[in-house]
Amino acid sequence: MDVKDFLRALQMHIHSFGIFESCMADSGSQIVSGFNLIRNLLDDSETREYLSAHGIRELSFHNYCKGNSSLGSLVENCVKQVKRLIQKSVRTNILNYFEFEFTISHVVHVVNRRPVAFRDGLRDPPPNDVPEAISPEMLMFGQELPSVRIVPELIPSSSVDPDYVPGTSSAPLKDHYRRLREIMTRLKDVYQSEFLTNLVIQATDKDKRYLPRSHTPLKKGDIVLLRDQFLKANAYPMAIVRDVTTNALGEITDAVVMKGSNRERVSRHVSSLILFIQPSWIRCLPKLWVG
């Protein structure tokens, strides 16, 4: 989306839920520009008094660098799953507005019920006990929402007789829902053959994947290498850490570093930084850094 699309979507959110107090986003150019426009627009005494009267002292905007988990990797993964399911299920079908709206709603519903983790207390269950899964839906509402199909014509054709019509009065509906029924059938097949299979693979492909690991936290003054997928490891550029960002758990999420080649300051997620030298190590090493 561009700036106007981003602002329109944010305004629609405000229509439904009211003005927000804090907004977190990545560093997309349209989002950064939109945030700046909102700041300038609402930066007057009358608006500040109105917000303060409603318990909002200050609107805060936070832009995070690429890969920062402060936004929640769960959210980003769910968005990617929704896009992929829509593309694979709709394909070349031409839908009207209401059909497309229903398709999006159904895909979001399916993705929100997809297991993403297991309860911590059941990490090592008995052999015959199946751990209780946690889904995005449970994180949002605190429980799994009961859901049933109330439109017989939208039941995937693989589940019932494709010529099934529940009563003569519903016959016109069957043709009306033809495209949607094809999409629901394709969506079910894609979800079961691809998404559930990948979920099992991700949970079992690496031994000790979920065991906790200890890491050396980055500090101001550390010398790091900037990981780059287009460069070999021996060509990674070197930089000095100038500032770090810590989350509510005390973990270092990203850092502002100064490149050694051109002294440019950039923000990088810790997953793209390789600790090379800490100041405390220098007294134990030959002089490798001057200045």
Side-chain angles (χ1 to χ4, degrees):
M1 300 192 298
D2 56 17
V3 178
K4 67 176 185 298
D5 292 329
F6 167 68
L7 291 177
R8 182 170 60 246
L10 200 56
Q11 183 68 73
M12 293 171 62
H13 175 84
I14 295 174
H15 288 164
S16 300
F17 301 98
I19 186 65
F20 51 86
E21 185 172 5
S22 178
C23 186
M24 299 184 298
D26 58 29
S27 297
S29 58
Q30 78 277 31
I31 297 178
V32 174
S33 299
F35 281 176
N36 291 333
L37 288 173
I38 296 173
R39 286 192 188 98
N40 296 333
L41 180 65
L42 302 182
D43 189 20
D44 61 88
S45 58
E46 185 177 352
T47 301
R48 288 195 296 269
E49 291 177 1
Y50 171 80
L51 295 177
S52 178
H54 288 78
I56 301 176
R57 296 183 178 179
E58 181 182 1
L59 292 180
S60 60
F61 301 90
H62 307 278
N63 291 101
Y64 295 96
C65 62
K66 182 179 180 181
N68 192 316
S69 60
S70 296
L71 292 176
S73 58
L74 174 61
V75 176
E76 297 180 2
N77 287 335
C78 288
V79 171
K80 292 178 181 178
Q81 292 171 19
V82 168
K83 289 182 178 179
R84 188 170 179 83
L85 278 177
I86 291 175
Q87 292 171 350
K88 282 182 167 284
S89 58
V90 175
R91 291 185 181 178
T92 58
N93 283 284
I94 300 177
L95 307 178
N96 61 38
Y97 173 82
F98 298 103
E99 291 172 334
F100 188 64
E101 181 185 39
F102 182 89
T103 301
I104 293 177
S105 174
H106 185 75
V107 171
V108 171
H109 170 72
V110 169
V111 171
N112 280 341
R113 296 173 71 91
R114 182 178 185 263
V116 294
F118 296 110
R119 291 189 182 278
D120 187 63
L122 298 176
R123 180 168 293 177
D124 299 314
N128 297 327
D129 188 15
V130 179
E132 184 176 356
I134 298 177
S135 64
E137 182 180 74
M138 296 176 65
L139 296 177
M140 289 188 295
F141 303 104
Q143 62 179 348
E144 181 178 345
L145 303 180
S147 176
V148 296
R149 299 180 184 272
I150 62 172
V151 185
E153 288 76 13
L154 288 182
I155 298 178
S157 58
S158 58
S159 303
V160 296
D161 184 350
D163 296 326
Y164 167 76
V165 177
T168 55
S169 61
S170 300
L173 291 177
K174 183 178 181 183
D175 184 67
H176 179 75
Y177 286 124
R178 177 181 55 81
R179 287 193 299 266
L180 273 180
R181 188 168 58 253
E182 293 175 358
I183 292 174
M184 295 301 104
T185 301
R186 194 178 298 120
L187 189 151
K188 176 185 176 182
D189 295 338
V190 171
Y191 181 80
Q192 291 185 345
S193 63
E194 180 176 334
F195 281 70
L196 291 184
T197 301
N198 289 339
L199 186 65
V200 174
I201 294 175
Q202 291 171 7
T204 59
D205 62 343
K206 291 184 179 180
D207 187 29
K208 301 179 180 179
R209 173 191 286 272
Y210 301 105
L211 290 180
R213 294 178 174 84
S214 58
H215 300 277
T216 302
L218 290 176
K219 298 179 181 179
K220 185 176 180 179
D222 289 350
I223 301 173
V224 296
L225 301 178
L226 305 183
R227 190 191 304 272
D228 191 325
Q229 60 177 333
F230 301 108
L231 297 176
K232 294 183 178 180
N234 60 357
Y236 287 165
M238 187 178 294
I240 303 177
V241 176
R242 290 307 190 195
D243 196 11
V244 296
T245 301
T246 306
N247 63 13
L249 301 177
E251 303 168 335
I252 305 297
T253 57
D254 57 274
V256 176
V257 301
M258 184 180 71
K259 294 183 178 180
S261 57
N262 54 11
R263 307 185 72 83
E264 177 189 5
R265 288 176 177 259
V266 295
S267 179
R268 290 287 185 271
H269 187 250
V270 290
S271 62
S272 63
L273 301 177
I274 301 175
L275 180 60
F276 187 56
I277 298 178
Q278 286 190 318
S280 59
W281 301 349
I282 295 180
R283 62 176 179 267
C284 303
L285 298 171
K287 292 185 178 180
L288 299 179
W289 186 268
V290 178

